[in-house]
Amino acid sequence: MIAIGCDHGGYQLKLELIDFLKEKGYEYIDLGCNGETVDYPDIAEKVCKEVVEKRADKAVLICGTGIGISMAANKIKGIRAALCSDYFSAKYTRLHNDANVICFGGRTIGYGLAKELLDIFLVTEFEGGRHAARVEKIMKLEDK
Ligand code: RB5
């Protein structure tokens, strides 16, 4: 199950990514917005809650740049959100960081590239091994 959400800056890209999820046969839950002006931290909170409470396996967040919504997402306990605009990062944030949320900038990335990045993000498994201890250290920073 994939949770997806955006602010007004990410709405068009969200529609494209929903088409992609449907084409690939993923189940998804769309938590808004529907094109109206909203505050991206509110969407980040709603969408990330689906992941933290295990109703979704992973999530997609989109705002204008992808920056604000990824900053907000990474404040939530249990979330490892990665803002991606290149293939290597989208793949390695799964392999090495076990990212559970991918973020995009609706005003900074093309639809075709975003779909490729989402594809590799969703099919790539965490490598574990030496990376597991590093991810644990990231998660311990939540207590600081
Ligand atoms: C909204 O205009 C814009 O600030 C937002 O989508 C995002 O880019 C923030 O980081």
Side-chain angles (χ1 to χ4, degrees):
M1 174 64 74
I2 310 300
I4 187 165
C6 66
D7 77 352
H8 46 289
Y11 181 61
Q12 291 304 327
L13 177 56
K14 185 181 75 174
L15 297 181
E16 294 286 331
L17 294 179
I18 285 175
D19 283 348
F20 166 83
L21 291 172
K22 283 183 191 162
E23 271 165 31
K24 291 281 180 177
Y26 287 102
E27 277 192 284
Y28 70 92
I29 175 167
D30 177 6
L31 292 148
C33 76
N34 296 308
E36 75 282 13
T37 299
V38 293
D39 296 332
Y40 55 82
D42 298 334
I43 299 293
E45 186 179 359
K46 265 196 214 173
V47 168
C48 289
K49 202 171 172 203
E50 296 299 303
V51 175
V52 171
E53 294 180 3
K54 301 189 187 307
R55 288 185 292 277
D57 304 293
K58 294 196 184 69
V60 185
L61 286 171
I62 315 146
C63 68
T65 58
I67 296 172
I69 210 155
S70 60
M71 285 178 167
N74 277 313
K75 295 285 181 191
I76 297 167
K77 276 198 175 196
I79 294 300
R80 291 178 300 280
L83 170 58
C84 292
S85 57
D86 70 275
Y87 189 87
F88 189 90
S89 299
K91 180 173 178 177
Y92 276 78
T93 199
R94 287 288 312 127
L95 286 172
H96 287 187
N97 315 128
D98 198 17
N100 47 16
V101 179
I102 190 166
C103 303
F104 297 114
R107 295 172 180 153
T108 63
I109 193 171
Y111 299 152
L113 176 57
K115 288 178 188 182
E116 291 287 320
L117 302 189
L118 181 54
D119 193 16
I120 192 68
F121 179 83
L122 292 178
V123 301
T124 304
E125 294 296 332
F126 179 46
E127 210 172 85
R130 70 186 189 280
H131 302 292
R134 294 169 184 159
V135 171
E136 268 175 42
K137 284 189 178 186
I138 295 177
M139 303 324 283
K140 280 197 183 142
L141 293 172
E142 289 177 341
D143 306 325
K144 299 260 174 202

